[in-house]
Amino acid sequence: MFIPLYDKNALTYVRFQYVTILLIAACCAVFFLQATGLEQRAVATFAVIPRELLFVNWIGGAANGPNDVLPIPESYTLVSYMFFHGDLVHLIGNMMFLWVFGDNVEDAVGHIKYLIFYILCGIAAAAAHVLISGNSPNPLIGASGAVSGVIAAYLMLHPRVSVWVLAFKFLPLQISAAIALGFWIALQIFMVMTPQVGPVAWWAHIGGLVAGAILILFFRRPGVPLFDRGSPSS
């Protein structure tokens, strides 16, 4: 795999990516709170747990699990789960993708619409995971699903942009977004077609990708082209 480091893609419509920075800060703040020792009970309360969510039929009341800190409605977890992460590597990986690619998606749709876009992609990711996982008691946490939506949108907007990535954890490469993100998406598709092993919720990634690819068609500003049409090669 690879870690994105930097893209050569200046902002056009906004002066600064306030929402992207706010989302990163929120995820980091929640992770800090997790490290204070409340992790298990916080995850039990704010994670998406398919068994509990289905028990209350998605939009019902709280399932009141034995480890819940607060009896919040289970439907709220479709948003809250995005801000929790399993470990530092999980957090850093998601935040690097959001840092590199989120600003240009925010630029293409505007601050408020970008926040809505991000949340909707995260909800779609959780929904896909729940539909596949069924009665699973395992919690779903992480921004990966929402970030997958950002990745899909970026790829549809700027496939020709040059991106610096760190491949295999040590090799810096400059490649097009089409190659970098296309490979990442292909990996997600490959993983959902193989037996599910390990803690990664691959179907959540797919749900976020599909949502992002569809929503960007409607959320982008009037006149913002797809696939770098009318732009010189970067």
Side-chain angles (χ1 to χ4, degrees):
M1 280 297 293
F2 68 89
I3 299 174
L5 300 175
Y6 171 76
D7 68 334
K8 296 183 177 181
N9 198 359
L11 301 178
T12 301
Y13 300 97
V14 301
R15 298 181 63 182
F16 189 75
Q17 62 275 30
Y18 296 107
V19 177
T20 297
I21 298 300
L22 177 63
L23 290 170
I24 292 173
C27 288
C28 292
V30 169
F31 186 79
F32 174 78
L33 292 175
Q34 286 181 253
T36 63
L38 298 176
E39 178 176 0
Q40 181 177 358
R41 297 193 68 192
V43 168
T45 302
F46 298 108
V48 168
I49 300 177
R51 175 180 295 177
E52 295 184 6
L53 190 63
L54 293 175
F55 175 76
V56 294
N57 296 319
W58 294 79
I59 57 174
N64 290 326
N67 294 317
D68 286 355
V69 177
L70 297 171
I72 67 170
E74 290 302 314
S75 56
Y76 289 15
T77 66
L78 292 170
V79 175
S80 62
Y81 89 97
M82 305 178 207
F83 298 94
F84 289 79
H85 289 82
D87 54 38
L88 189 59
V89 173
H90 189 200
L91 174 70
I92 292 175
N94 280 335
M95 295 306 99
M96 286 300 296
F97 273 88
L98 188 56
W99 168 255
V100 174
F101 302 118
D103 59 340
N104 293 107
V105 178
E106 182 175 348
D107 186 47
V109 304
H111 301 304
I112 301 301
K113 290 172 66 177
Y114 173 68
L115 179 60
I116 297 171
F117 170 89
Y118 182 90
I119 292 173
L120 289 178
C121 287
I123 292 174
H129 174 75
V130 171
L131 289 174
I132 295 299
S133 299
N135 201 35
S136 171
N138 298 322
L140 171 69
I141 56 173
S144 303
V147 172
S148 294
V150 172
I151 289 172
Y154 189 99
L155 183 58
M156 292 184 66
L157 292 167
H158 304 295
R160 297 165 59 189
V161 167
S162 295
V163 180
W164 278 98
V165 303
L166 191 64
F168 309 111
K169 300 182 180 180
F170 71 92
L171 180 63
L173 294 174
Q174 185 180 20
I175 55 180
S176 70
I179 294 175
L181 299 183
F183 174 80
W184 187 88
I185 292 172
L187 177 62
Q188 313 311 302
I189 296 173
F190 172 78
M191 293 305 297
V192 299
M193 297 176 65
T194 59
Q196 298 294 296
V197 178
V200 179
W202 300 106
W203 275 106
H205 297 181
I206 297 298
L209 284 168
V210 173
I214 294 173
L215 290 174
I216 193 61
L217 299 175
F218 305 98
F219 275 59
R220 61 194 169 109
R221 301 172 188 270
V224 171
L226 297 175
F227 308 112
D228 284 323
R229 290 172 182 161
S231 300
S233 178
S234 299

